mmCIF file of all heavy atoms in Angstrom:
data_model
loop_
_atom_site.group_PDB
_atom_site.id
_atom_site.type_symbol
_atom_site.label_atom_id
_atom_site.label_comp_id
_atom_site.label_asym_id
_atom_site.label_seq_id
_atom_site.Cartn_x
_atom_site.Cartn_y
_atom_site.Cartn_z
ATOM 1 N N LEU A 376 69.125 49.072 -23.338
ATOM 2 C CA LEU A 376 68.049 49.787 -22.653
ATOM 3 C C LEU A 376 68.571 51.111 -22.130
ATOM 4 O O LEU A 376 69.267 51.150 -21.123
ATOM 5 C CB LEU A 376 67.528 48.955 -21.476
ATOM 6 C CG LEU A 376 66.889 47.610 -21.790
ATOM 7 C CD1 LEU A 376 66.396 46.938 -20.514
ATOM 8 C CD2 LEU A 376 65.736 47.775 -22.771
ATOM 9 N N ASP A 377 68.335 52.173 -22.862
ATOM 10 C CA ASP A 377 68.574 53.464 -22.224
ATOM 11 C C ASP A 377 67.406 54.373 -22.573
ATOM 12 O O ASP A 377 66.953 54.429 -23.709
ATOM 13 C CB ASP A 377 69.930 54.095 -22.564
ATOM 14 C CG ASP A 377 70.437 53.720 -23.931
ATOM 15 O OD1 ASP A 377 69.601 53.650 -24.867
ATOM 16 O OD2 ASP A 377 71.631 53.490 -24.077
ATOM 17 N N GLY A 378 66.939 55.030 -21.571
ATOM 18 C CA GLY A 378 65.733 55.838 -21.764
ATOM 19 C C GLY A 378 64.495 54.965 -21.686
ATOM 20 O O GLY A 378 64.440 54.014 -20.918
ATOM 21 N N GLU A 379 63.534 55.291 -22.546
ATOM 22 C CA GLU A 379 62.254 54.585 -22.482
ATOM 23 C C GLU A 379 62.417 53.117 -22.876
ATOM 24 O O GLU A 379 63.204 52.792 -23.779
ATOM 25 C CB GLU A 379 61.269 55.278 -23.420
ATOM 26 C CG GLU A 379 59.837 55.037 -23.017
ATOM 27 C CD GLU A 379 58.920 55.978 -23.780
ATOM 28 O OE1 GLU A 379 59.158 57.203 -23.709
ATOM 29 O OE2 GLU A 379 58.019 55.472 -24.449
ATOM 30 N N LEU A 380 61.670 52.224 -22.248
ATOM 31 C CA LEU A 380 61.799 50.799 -22.545
ATOM 32 C C LEU A 380 61.180 50.480 -23.902
ATOM 33 O O LEU A 380 60.081 50.937 -24.214
ATOM 34 C CB LEU A 380 61.072 49.971 -21.478
ATOM 35 C CG LEU A 380 61.588 50.017 -20.045
ATOM 36 C CD1 LEU A 380 60.770 49.078 -19.172
ATOM 37 C CD2 LEU A 380 63.064 49.664 -19.971
ATOM 38 N N THR A 404 68.052 49.369 -15.233
ATOM 39 C CA THR A 404 68.609 49.103 -16.562
ATOM 40 C C THR A 404 70.131 49.270 -16.609
ATOM 41 O O THR A 404 70.715 49.360 -17.680
ATOM 42 C CB THR A 404 67.975 50.052 -17.609
ATOM 43 O OG1 THR A 404 68.214 51.401 -17.189
ATOM 44 C CG2 THR A 404 66.481 49.828 -17.735
ATOM 45 N N ARG A 410 70.374 54.837 -13.561
ATOM 46 C CA ARG A 410 69.849 53.863 -14.530
ATOM 47 C C ARG A 410 68.644 53.112 -13.951
ATOM 48 O O ARG A 410 68.666 51.888 -13.759
ATOM 49 C CB ARG A 410 70.957 52.874 -14.915
ATOM 50 C CG ARG A 410 72.204 53.524 -15.443
ATOM 51 C CD ARG A 410 72.172 53.752 -16.903
ATOM 52 N NE ARG A 410 72.105 52.484 -17.620
ATOM 53 C CZ ARG A 410 72.227 52.394 -18.924
ATOM 54 N NH1 ARG A 410 72.407 53.466 -19.649
ATOM 55 N NH2 ARG A 410 72.159 51.225 -19.507
ATOM 56 N N VAL A 412 64.305 53.151 -14.437
ATOM 57 C CA VAL A 412 63.142 53.725 -15.086
ATOM 58 C C VAL A 412 61.960 53.613 -14.131
ATOM 59 O O VAL A 412 61.650 52.517 -13.652
ATOM 60 C CB VAL A 412 62.817 52.974 -16.401
ATOM 61 C CG1 VAL A 412 61.616 53.602 -17.096
ATOM 62 C CG2 VAL A 412 64.035 52.958 -17.313
#
Side-chain angles (χ1 to χ4, degrees):
L376 297 182
D377 30 39
E379 204 168 305
L380 295 183
T404 57
R410 305 272 296 188
V412 181

